[in-house]
Amino acid sequence: MKIIEIKTLRGPNYWSIRRPKLIQMKLDIQEYEQKPSNLIPGFAERLENLLPGLYEHRCSVGEPGGFLQRLKEGTWMGHIIEHVALEIQTLAGMDTGFGRTRGTGKTGEYHVVFSYVEADAGVYAAKASVALVTALAEDRPYNLEADVQELRVIREDTRLGPSTGSIVEEAVKRGIPYIRLNKHSLVQLGYGINQQRVRATIAGTTSSIAVDIAGDKEETKNLLGAAQIPVPYGTIVYNPEELRGAVESVGYPVVLKPVDGNHGKGATTNITTWEQALKALEAAQQYSRAVICERFITGFDFRLLVINYKFICAALRTPASVTGDGEHTIQWLVDKTNQDPDRGYGHEKVLTQIKIDLFTQKMLDEKGYTLETVPAAGELVLLKPTANLSTGGTSTDVTDEVHPVNIFLAERIARIIGLDICGIDIMAPDLRTSLFENGGAVLEVNAAPGFRMHIQPSHGLPRNVAEPVIDMLFPRGTTGRIPIIAITGTNGKTTTTRLTAHICKTAGYKVGFTTSDGVYIQHQMMMKGDCTGPASANFVLEDPTVDFAVLECARGGILRAGLAFDRCDIAIITNVTADHLGLGGIDTLEQMAKVKGVLAETVIPHGFAILNADDDLVYDIRKGLDCKVALFSMDEHNPRIKKHCEGGGFAAVYENGYISILKGTWKIRVEKVTGVPITYGGKALHNIANTLPSVLASYLFRNIKIEDIRSALHTFVPSPSQTPGRLNLFQFKKFQVLVDFAHNPAGLTLLGNFIQKLDGHPKVGIISGTGDRRDEDIRELGRLAAGYFDEIIIRQDKHLRGRTAEEIVNLLLEGIAQQNNPSLPVTVMLNEREAIMHAFNSAKPGSLLTILCDVVSEALQLISKLKEEEEKEES
C-alpha cells in the first residue's frame, strides 16, 4: 500500500463541521483492492489479538463488536486502517473516535479520514496504521508498543500542559475561540481587539513586575516579611564561606534553593550536616549563582491558589515516595507503584509515573540506601526533594479545611506581590489553624502556578480552577469574538470581499480582510499574494487592532486545512461553476457546492447565510442549515425570492435600475446602479451581482446604516488600488486597456458580456490557460475568447501547474478552432510582458486591449508605467 498524501485539517471542513481536527490520508491500497479482509487467511484474528480494544468500535453496525463483524464479513484496507489509527491513538492516551473512508473515484484509491487530539500524533498514527495493517496482512510480527510509546512522546511534546489546557477547555465551553500562537503554551483567547492571551497560567493581565518579584525569592521574602507575613528566617549566599556563616546563623536544619529557581529545581530540604550543605550549594548553583539559605520549617507542604485576588482552593502535596513492606527492594516498590492504573506517562493520567533520576539517587545516598535496599515495613522512603506531581508526587484537596485567617493571608499575599494568578507555598502542621498559631510559614509565591494538583487531585474534590481565570479575562456574557463575514464562491468573491470590507470601514470599523491578492489591516496591505486560506484568516483574527473581519475563503484552503474559524456571523456564497474540478478529490459541481457550503454551516444560529437564488446549487445549500437564510438575485421576480420574502425573509435584488433590499413585503432602495462606480453605469452586470450580497450582509449586521452603505457604494471605485485586477480600465490617447483576472469559462463569460457593451474596435484579447484545470475547461476558454475578441494573443502563466506551455497553447488553439473563424488573428507570445508590449505597440486607434492577467500586480505596474510615460510625452 502507498500513502499518496496526508493533510492535517484544523477547522470546519468538507468532512465535518463539528469535528474539525481530522487527518485526511489519500491511500492507494494497490493489490489489496482485490483482497478484502475475509480473503486474507488469519488476518482478522491477528488484528483482534493485537488490538482487542477494537471490540468497542461500533462501526456502521451500531453496537460493540460491530467493526469486528465487518472485519470478518469482509471490508477493505482503507476502512480497517481508519479504525486502527483511532485505536492506537486511544492506547496512547488520546481518546478519539470519528472516522470516514471514501473512494476517490480512482480504483484502489481512498480518502481515509479520522480524528486526532494532537496533529503530529495524528500524522504518525496514519503512517503507523498503514505499516501495522500491512504487517498483519503479510503475517509478519509488529511492535505495537513502540508505536504507542512514540505516540505518547509526541503527545507530551506537542500538547498544551494540563494548566493551559484546562484554561482553553473552559474557554471553549463558553464559546470563546482560541488560537495557539506557538508550539509551547502561548495561547490567544478570543479574536482581534477582544483577545486575551495566556502563557501557561500567566495571563495578559498579569503584572510583569509581580512576575519578576515572584521570581526573586529573596525579594519576595523581604516584601512579605515587611508586611508581617510569617516567612522562614534566612539569607543569600554565593560561596562556601558565606554558606558556613549562614548555617551558623540560621541553625540546622536548613533549606538551600536558587534565588530564581522554579518547580523545585536545585532545591534541597532538611539539610542537617555540613557535607549535605556543600552538596546542596553545588546543586543550587547549577541554576543560580545566588542561593537562599533559610530555616527548614517542619510540617506539611501546602499550595494555596489565589485568582483575581480571591482564594480559590488549597492542596496538600506529598513528594514521590514508596512505603516499605520489609520484603521487597526500593526498585521493586517503585515498579509496583508505577503499575497503578492511575499513573501514566507525562500528564496522561491523574498521577505521573515515578522515574529514578539524580535527585532520587542523591536522596537515597543521604540515607545510605540503594535501589536494592529493603526498607522496613511501614517505612516511608521519599524519592524526590519536592512534591511536584510531574515527578510522581501526589496531591490531596484540602480547600474546605482552610482557616479564615489563612484565606485572608493568601489573598493579602497576592495583593502584596501583585499577582492576579498566584500560587502560595506554605509549610505548616495543617491549615485548619492560623499560621500565626501553628508556627507555619510562607516559603514561596509563584507566578504561573500549576493547576494539575487542583483539577486532578489524587484524593479529594477536583476544583475547576480554570473557571475563575476565564471569569477574570472575560466577564460573563462576553466571548472575546469580533464580527466575521466569510465569503466564498467560484467567481466574484474577491470583489464582494473588498466591497464588504469597504462598507464596514465606512461605517467606522477597523477592518481586517483577506483576498486573493493579499491581507489587509485597515486597508493597509500586510501580506501579498493569494491569501484566501486559513493561515491568512488567522493573521487577521490574531491582529489586536481589528474589530471586524471580512474573510475570503477559497476552495483550496478549505480542502487543504479547513477554516480558520469555528463560526461566523454571516456567510456569503456567490456562485458555483465548473472551475478547479478534478483537483483535491472534487470532481463534480455537487461536490464543489458541498465545499463552498462549509461556510454556511459555520454561521451562528442567529446569523445569516446569504445565498445566490439564481444558482441552483447555491440555493440548495440552504437545506439543513441551523442559521437564518437570506437570498440575492438579479431578478426581483425570481419565484424563490418571492416565496422567501412572502415568508418574512430578507433579500437583495436588482430591480428597475436599483440595488434594493427586500424586507418581507417592504422594499428599501439603496442606490441606483448608475451611482455605483464598480457597475460602470450598469454595464458590468456581474459587479451588480457582486454588490447585492455585500449590501445585504452589511444591512443584516444591524449596526451599519443605509446611509453608510450608500456612501461606501459611491466611493468604491474600480481601480488598481481598490479592485486590483478586477475591471481596471485605462484610457490611453488612442485606445483603451482593460485588465482583469478572469481565469475560468464562467468568469470569461461575464467579462465578455461587459466587453461587448464597451466602445472600442477591434477588441484584442491577451489570454492564457491555467495548467491544473481540465482539458475541456482550457478548450472552453479558447472557444469563448474566439467569440468575444477580434484578435487573440496567447501568453503563458508564470506557473504552469503540471503542464507544458505547448500543451496549454494547443488546448486553447483547439477551443479557438471550434468557432470556425479561420480569419481570426491568433498570435502566440508566451512571455506576458512581451505579449502586453506587442499588443500596446501594435494597437490600432480606437481599439480595446483586454489583458487576462496572471500576476495582477506586475501587469498593473506595467500598464501604469506606460500610462505615465504617455502623460509625460503629452506634457
Side-chain angles (χ1 to χ4, degrees), residues 608 628-629 631 639-651 662-666:
F608 285 88
K628 299 177 182 179
V629 173
L631 302 176
R640 294 166 175 171
I641 294 290
K642 297 187 74 172
K643 180 180 178 182
H644 180 70
C645 292
E646 286 170 359
F650 291 89
L662 304 183
K663 184 180 180 183
T665 58
W666 294 93

Side-chain angles (χ1 to χ4, degrees), residues 258 265-268 278-287 359 362:
K265 293 177 181 177
T268 305
L278 286 175
K279 289 181 180 178
L281 177 65
E282 183 180 351
Q285 289 188 324
Q286 297 294 316
Y287 299 92
F359 290 109
K362 178 183 174 185

Side-chain angles (χ1 to χ4, degrees), residues 7 17 29 43 54 121 201 213 258 279 287 319 345 431 480 580 602 604 764 803 811:
K7 294 178 181 177
I17 303 300
I29 66 172
F43 173 75
L54 289 174
T201 58
I213 292 172
K279 289 181 180 178
Y287 299 92
Y345 181 84
L431 294 180
H580 295 99
T602 66
I604 56 178
V764 180
R803 292 186 190 262
L811 288 168

